[in-house]
């Protein structure tokens, strides 16, 4: 209710809105809030809030605890995009697991756990044509 641009984050970037509402130690959320209100890019506001831009694709249900330091290099962003959770129900445990593995190990391990937590799509059966009739 502070500003309409902040309210717009609920639809466009729920992770950033959550990061502004639940500040973390060492992060100046006022600077990130100012970026949003001033109409700067979401990338600038996310950088000021200390959260990766790839979180933009996660649903609001994913954010249940303060957002910890997550990898945000170019390779990680490209890889993690392929393993985002398919449902809002899976999103909180998925994000918590990715963050924990990234903190304990490194980015490639976090991508691995992200891939392992997302169920594989169901396989479709390929209909084979019937064998030719022999006369």
């Amino acid at each position: 209710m502070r500003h309409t641009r902040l309210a717009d984050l609920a639809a466009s970037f729920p992770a950033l809105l959550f990061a502004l509402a639940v500040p973390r130690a060492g992060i100046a959320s006022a600077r990130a809030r100012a970026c949003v209100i001033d109409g700067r890019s979401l990338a600038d506001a996310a950088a000021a809030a200390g959260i990766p831009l790839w979180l933009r694709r996660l649903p609001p249900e994913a954010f249940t605890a303060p957002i910890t330091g997550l990898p945000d290099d170019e390779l990680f962003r490209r890889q993690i995009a392929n393993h985002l959770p398919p449902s809002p129900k899976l999103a909180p445990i998925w994000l918590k697991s990715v963050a924990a593995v990234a903190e304990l190990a490194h980015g490639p391990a976090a991508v691995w756990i992200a891939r392992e937590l997302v169920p594989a799509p169901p396989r479709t059966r390929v209909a084979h044509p019937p064998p030719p009739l022999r006369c």
Side-chain angles (χ1 to χ4, degrees), residues 2 5 13 18-19 27 30 45 48 58 70 82-83 97-98 106 114 127 129:
R2 289 184 178 185
R5 287 189 176 147
F13 199 166
F18 185 84
I27 302 295
L58 291 179
L70 291 163
N82 295 319
H83 307 295
S97 299
V98 168
H106 46 72

Side-chain angles (χ1 to χ4, degrees), residues 24-118:
R24 294 159 293 146
I27 302 295
S29 60
R31 187 170 145 240
R33 218 176 1 262
C35 285
V36 173
I37 292 170
D38 292 343
R40 295 181 61 193
S41 72
L42 289 177
D44 290 344
I51 64 166
L53 195 58
W54 60 264
L55 288 176
R56 184 174 181 196
R57 297 189 49 204
L58 291 179
E61 294 85 359
F63 308 103
T64 58
I67 301 168
T68 60
L70 291 163
D72 194 28
D73 58 87
E74 184 181 342
L75 179 61
F76 185 84
R77 283 190 301 261
R78 283 188 281 137
Q79 291 177 333
I80 201 72
N82 295 319
H83 307 295
L84 295 174
S87 77
K89 283 184 174 182
L90 182 60
I93 191 70
W94 181 90
L95 182 59
K96 188 175 183 179
S97 299
V98 168
V101 171
E103 185 178 334
L104 293 172
H106 46 72
V111 170
W112 174 81
I113 197 67
R115 183 185 69 229
E116 292 301 311
L117 289 173
V118 174

